[in-house]
């Protein structure tokens, strides 16, 4: 099912949607382009493709041909694929020599955004692939997170929460990427104070099939551990623990409630300037 993406495509193609981008217009010429002249979209956010689905598509192409042309843009003597990489891969698997294509003129900015929007709408990216795509847009096109959120019709916390996953160690990112760990697991692991222990704790999550709630409890326990020579922490009552859990989910980061005799405090952790801005936005605190 396609997911709504606000004004993303509309901002790039005022008279077109992602669907009409591939629709043949009156002035379009469909050309046969040799597969060897095609190169994949350099801004393609998807790193892995389902081999079984590509094989199924290849079989369909062998029987019925390619019904819908791919969309490309000319780059030197080659053609970069804008939309249709799965069809291109399946065509290669079906041993075709050429493929029907519509040639469009596009800037790199348009190429990058269309690649992300196409994948978000038609085939879910993993949270890591999505985060890497957002980071690529920010770095290469000099977007701020706020500008990117508006461009893609997302909330800023949504963008930030995804991008925070890139702070995970590479081996743990791969566990999220292949579905062994969920995005919720990844975000919770970032609440661990001793970041060097993240891979170790992630391995424990996988080994014992811990859900996010169980991982939250484990992280809380690990964060409260102190050397034996120091005073043992006072066990928090059930109400305080439940409130901490609610606040962690609300802010998307580690939150601790510390109570003293006649006073107390709430500590909200952040891991970067962007993360701090995200939290301030949630708190509706305006910055000067």
């Amino acid at each position: 099912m396609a997911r709504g993406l606000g004004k993303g495509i509309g901002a790039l193609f005022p008279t077109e949607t992602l669907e009409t981008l591939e629709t043949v217009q009156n002035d379009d010429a469909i050309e046969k382009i040799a597969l060897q002249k095609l190169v994949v979209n350099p801004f393609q956010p998807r790193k892995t493709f389902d081999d079984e689905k590509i094989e199924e598509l290849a079989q369909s192409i062998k029987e019925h041909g390619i019904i819908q042309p791919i969309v490309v843009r000319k780059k030197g003597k080659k053609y970069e694929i804008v939309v249709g990489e799965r069809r291109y891969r399946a065509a290669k698997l079906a041993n075709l020599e050429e493929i029907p294509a519509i040639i469009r003129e596009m800037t790199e900015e348009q190429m990058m955004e269309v690649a992300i929007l196409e994948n978000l709408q038609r085939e879910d990216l993993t949270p890591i692939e999505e985060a890497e795509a957002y980071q690529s847009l920010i770095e290469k096109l000099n977007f701020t997170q706020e500008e990117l959120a508006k461009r893609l019709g997302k909330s800023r916390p949504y963008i930030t929460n995804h991008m925070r996953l890139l702070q995970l160690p590479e081996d743990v990112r791969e566990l999220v990427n292949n579905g062994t760990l969920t995005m919720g697991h990844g975000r919770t692991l970032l609440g661990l104070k001793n970041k060097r222990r993240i891979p170790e704790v992630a391995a424990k999550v996988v080994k014992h099939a811990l859900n996010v709630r169980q991982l939250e409890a484990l992280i809380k326990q690990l964060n409260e551990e102190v050397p034996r020579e120091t005073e043992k922490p006072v066990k928090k009552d059930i109400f305080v623990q439940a409130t901490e859990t609610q606040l962690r989910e609300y802010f998307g980061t580690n939150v601790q409630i510390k109570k003293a005799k006649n006073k107390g405090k709430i500590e909200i952790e952040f891991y970067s300037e962007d993360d701090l801005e995200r939290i301030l936005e949630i708190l509706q605190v305006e910055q000067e």
Side-chain angles (χ1 to χ4, degrees):
M1 180 180 294
R3 297 188 293 183
L5 291 168
K7 300 178 180 177
I9 278 289
L12 293 172
F13 306 99
T15 61
E16 295 183 298
T17 65
L18 188 58
E19 288 72 22
T20 60
L21 183 63
E22 283 194 278
T23 302
V24 180
Q25 308 296 321
N26 292 333
D27 57 347
D28 278 333
I30 299 177
E31 299 187 21
K32 294 276 190 175
I33 297 179
L35 293 183
Q36 62 184 13
K37 288 187 176 181
L38 293 169
V39 293
V40 300
N41 188 335
F43 307 117
Q44 167 66 262
R46 182 171 294 283
K47 302 298 187 294
T48 57
F49 288 79
D50 189 319
D51 291 338
E52 187 176 335
K53 288 184 178 179
I54 297 293
E55 175 66 40
E56 289 176 0
L57 184 54
Q59 289 301 320
S60 174
I61 287 173
K62 286 179 181 179
E63 291 180 25
H64 309 290
I66 295 178
I67 299 171
Q68 191 169 22
I70 64 173
V71 180
V72 301
R73 77 161 181 170
K74 194 163 183 10
K75 187 71 178 290
K77 294 183 178 180
K78 297 283 188 177
Y79 295 87
E80 290 180 339
I81 299 171
V82 179
V83 178
E85 185 170 339
R86 289 179 69 252
R87 273 165 280 167
Y88 161 72
R89 288 171 177 263
K92 286 180 68 177
L93 197 59
N95 296 317
L96 297 188
E97 294 185 357
E98 54 186 17
I99 190 170
I102 300 170
I103 302 173
R104 303 252 190 212
E105 290 186 10
M106 288 189 184
T107 65
E108 290 200 345
E109 177 182 357
Q110 291 172 326
M111 283 274 291
M112 188 179 293
E113 290 203 42
V114 167
I116 293 172
L117 289 166
E118 183 209 7
N119 279 281
L120 287 173
Q121 285 187 338
R122 296 182 179 174
E123 201 172 345
D124 288 340
L125 295 175
T126 69
I128 297 297
E129 287 174 334
E130 197 170 335
E132 289 172 342
Y134 296 151
Q135 180 168 286
S136 183
L137 282 168
I138 286 171
E139 290 179 350
K140 294 181 179 179
L141 300 180
N142 297 317
F143 283 156
T144 64
Q145 287 192 11
E146 185 67 32
E147 289 170 340
L148 182 61
K150 289 179 180 177
R151 199 73 175 261
L152 299 180
K154 299 287 186 183
S155 69
R156 180 169 176 178
Y158 178 93
I159 300 290
T160 304
N161 284 334
H162 275 76
M163 291 186 65
R164 282 188 63 223
L165 295 175
L166 300 181
Q167 297 172 22
L168 292 167
E170 187 174 349
D171 53 346
V172 180
R173 289 203 304 270
E174 183 54 34
L175 292 175
V176 177
N177 212 27
N178 63 29
T180 303
L181 296 179
T182 67
M183 180 176 174
H185 284 118
R187 288 176 58 187
T188 304
L189 285 167
L190 287 169
L192 191 62
K193 286 185 176 179
N194 186 348
K195 302 298 187 228
R196 289 176 298 180
R197 297 192 67 182
I198 287 179
E200 167 200 337
V201 176
K204 186 173 291 189
V205 171
V206 175
K207 182 178 179 180
H208 299 288
L210 301 182
N211 60 34
V212 175
R213 294 281 186 183
Q214 292 168 324
L215 175 58
E216 285 176 350
L218 176 59
I219 296 288
K220 182 171 178 293
Q221 177 186 334
L222 294 173
N223 284 342
E224 289 179 351
E225 284 181 355
V226 292
R228 289 185 178 179
E229 62 270 16
T230 63
E231 182 181 350
K232 291 185 178 179
V234 177
K235 188 172 182 180
K236 296 175 182 176
D237 62 45
I238 295 175
F239 171 77
V240 171
Q241 291 180 39
T243 304
E244 282 183 336
T245 297
Q246 280 184 298
L247 290 173
R248 286 192 192 105
E249 291 178 351
Y250 183 72
F251 289 107
T253 189
N254 188 47
V255 178
Q256 290 197 57
I257 298 174
K258 297 185 177 180
K259 295 177 67 177
K261 205 167 190 180
N262 297 313
K263 62 180 182 179
K265 62 181 179 180
I266 298 175
E267 292 183 354
I268 304 173
E269 292 188 5
F270 62 91
Y271 305 95
S272 66
E273 289 298 320
D274 281 335
D275 203 22
L276 174 58
E277 288 182 24
R278 175 184 68 84
I279 292 168
L280 291 175
E281 184 176 300
I282 293 172
L283 291 169
Q284 297 184 338
V285 176
E286 293 187 5
Q287 293 179 281
E288 296 184 358

